[in-house]
Amino acid sequence: MNFNVIGVGEVLWDLLLTGPQLGGAPANFAYHAHALGAQTQVITRVGKDDYGREIIRRFHEMGLPETGVQVDETAPTGTATVALSGDGLAHFTIQENVAWDQIALTREALATAGEAHAICFGSLAQRCEPSRNTIQQLVAAAPAAALRVFDINLRQQFYSRGLIEESLQRANVLKLNDDELPTLAAMFNLTGSPEDHIERLAQMFGLRVVALTRGSNGSLLYQEIEEPGQLCGGGAEPRHHARWSDCPSRPVKVVDTVGAGDSFTAAMVLGLLRKMDLDEINTIANEVARYVCSQPGATPSLPIEFARSFLI
């Protein structure tokens, strides 16, 4: 089955010392999902400028449809200045008042969302009201059975408790990293271990899956499993229990970490859609992210072996 996977939100240029690199979490996610075998589309907005035209050209080159890319007549295409620390970790300064702050709710975008098997969104593109309203409505328009993935992606001051809470209520999958989990724990007064925080968030917001990436310490996946009740003749309440997968990471020479989390999310989504075993999903997603860390930029070409992992 060819799954329809949608990324909605920002697309921008990461202005690295080595030159501009295409970025933005939803675009990175869609690129990697496409490379792993999904039919993908990005719903976003660019400026009517050279950077915007190059994004459309690059999407075409990468096999991503241009149909979801809106062109703004006045606002510029987004950019982010990226500084890398000594261990390759990326630190972003993101331009404000750009085209992706004004994503419009079009008939075409609603139709695309209505056919999605998975839709991925974050907090950054919701920093301004126009895009926030559009993103929330597009996520709501996805089919009831679709994966609605909130890849939280906290950046600078561009989020609030209200935004996070509303997004978690829309989502059924949460992806976050070990810098972001303590922020959510403080925001929602959660106590205990990281595992306690994850389980409590899942219970509070009815999440099917929570993914915690931990850099060189690998990743932790939580999945809510529902089983039918056991009473004869039916009518029993379904039983719920948690499944966990803790995957260590293998050492890798890090070039930069830009896009690694987005590639993890893409691999996890493909694995969930194909109903693969949770440990298998976690292992493959780790290996994909590990490879991206070893390459410059957010969207390197992925070895074909990764896509073959999802052919069942």
Side-chain angles (χ1 to χ4, degrees):
M1 181 178 182
N2 202 2
F3 294 105
N4 292 320
V5 175
I6 310 301
V8 56
E10 70 274 9
V11 63
L12 49 83
W13 290 99
D14 291 324
L15 303 180
L16 303 171
L17 291 176
T18 53
Q21 290 276 0
L22 186 62
N28 297 341
F29 164 81
Y31 165 78
H32 289 295
H34 174 70
L36 295 172
Q39 182 173 303
T40 62
Q41 188 161 314
V42 186
I43 299 172
T44 189
R45 196 172 181 95
V46 301
K48 194 175 183 178
D49 51 28
D50 288 345
Y51 273 154
R53 284 185 284 274
E54 180 60 17
I55 283 173
I56 292 171
R57 189 196 71 78
R58 190 71 65 87
F59 273 21
H60 181 74
E61 189 178 82
M62 296 189 317
L64 297 177
E66 307 149 27
T67 48
V69 183
Q70 304 167 11
V71 178
D72 196 292
E73 293 290 328
T74 55
T77 300
T79 58
T81 304
V82 185
L84 298 177
S85 57
D87 53 4
L89 293 175
H91 305 275
F92 298 85
T93 303
I94 300 161
Q95 182 186 6
E96 298 188 56
N97 303 311
V98 296
W100 54 257
D101 288 316
Q102 306 293 327
I103 301 170
L105 186 67
T106 64
R107 191 182 312 166
E108 293 79 10
L110 279 168
T112 299
E115 296 175 351
H117 294 99
I119 183 167
C120 184
F121 66 109
S123 62
L124 178 57
Q126 298 186 73
R127 65 183 181 178
C128 291
E129 201 66 29
S131 286
R132 180 176 179 174
N133 288 339
T134 294
I135 290 168
Q136 293 287 336
Q137 290 185 66
L138 290 175
V139 174
L147 298 177
R148 297 185 295 280
V149 184
F150 183 37
D151 186 350
I152 191 166
N153 201 28
L154 300 179
R155 293 285 182 258
Q156 295 170 220
Q157 76 281 11
F158 300 129
Y159 62 91
S160 66
R161 175 178 170 135
L163 166 62
I164 300 304
E165 200 159 5
E166 185 178 12
S167 297
L168 285 168
Q169 287 165 350
R170 297 271 190 211
N172 54 29
V173 177
L174 170 63
K175 155 50 174 70
L176 72 173
N177 63 35
D178 52 1
D179 288 328
E180 294 162 338
L181 182 58
T183 301
L184 262 67
M187 190 178 283
F188 296 108
N189 301 313
L190 306 178
T191 57
S193 66
E195 289 83 357
D196 293 329
H197 299 161
I198 289 169
E199 193 156 15
R200 184 70 185 120
L201 286 167
Q203 292 166 352
M204 288 171 68
F205 296 104
L207 301 169
R208 296 185 206 168
V209 175
V210 180
L212 176 69
T213 55
R214 304 173 300 194
S216 60
N217 293 317
S219 54
L220 185 65
L221 296 186
Y222 168 97
Q223 186 173 34
E224 183 78 15
I225 306 293
E226 181 177 298
E227 293 180 342
Q230 300 299 313
L231 289 183
C232 294
E237 287 291 321
R239 297 185 306 167
H240 295 262
H241 70 272
R243 170 84 198 280
W244 292 89
S245 172
D246 191 343
C247 182
S249 183
R250 296 193 296 119
V252 64
K253 184 176 180 181
V254 174
V255 173
D256 67 59
T257 60
V258 183
D262 306 319
S263 69
F264 181 98
T265 308
M268 176 185 70
V269 164
L270 264 290
L272 291 171
L273 288 173
R274 296 216 178 269
K275 302 189 184 305
M276 293 165 62
D277 176 76
L278 200 64
D279 285 333
E280 188 178 6
I281 293 170
N282 207 1
T283 299
I284 295 170
N286 256 281
E287 285 300 306
V288 172
R290 179 176 172 275
Y291 177 81
V292 172
C293 284
S294 75
Q295 304 296 310
T299 54
S301 295
L302 296 182
I304 192 66
E305 289 76 17
F306 289 136
R308 290 184 181 137
S309 301
F310 298 100
L311 296 176
I312 57 172

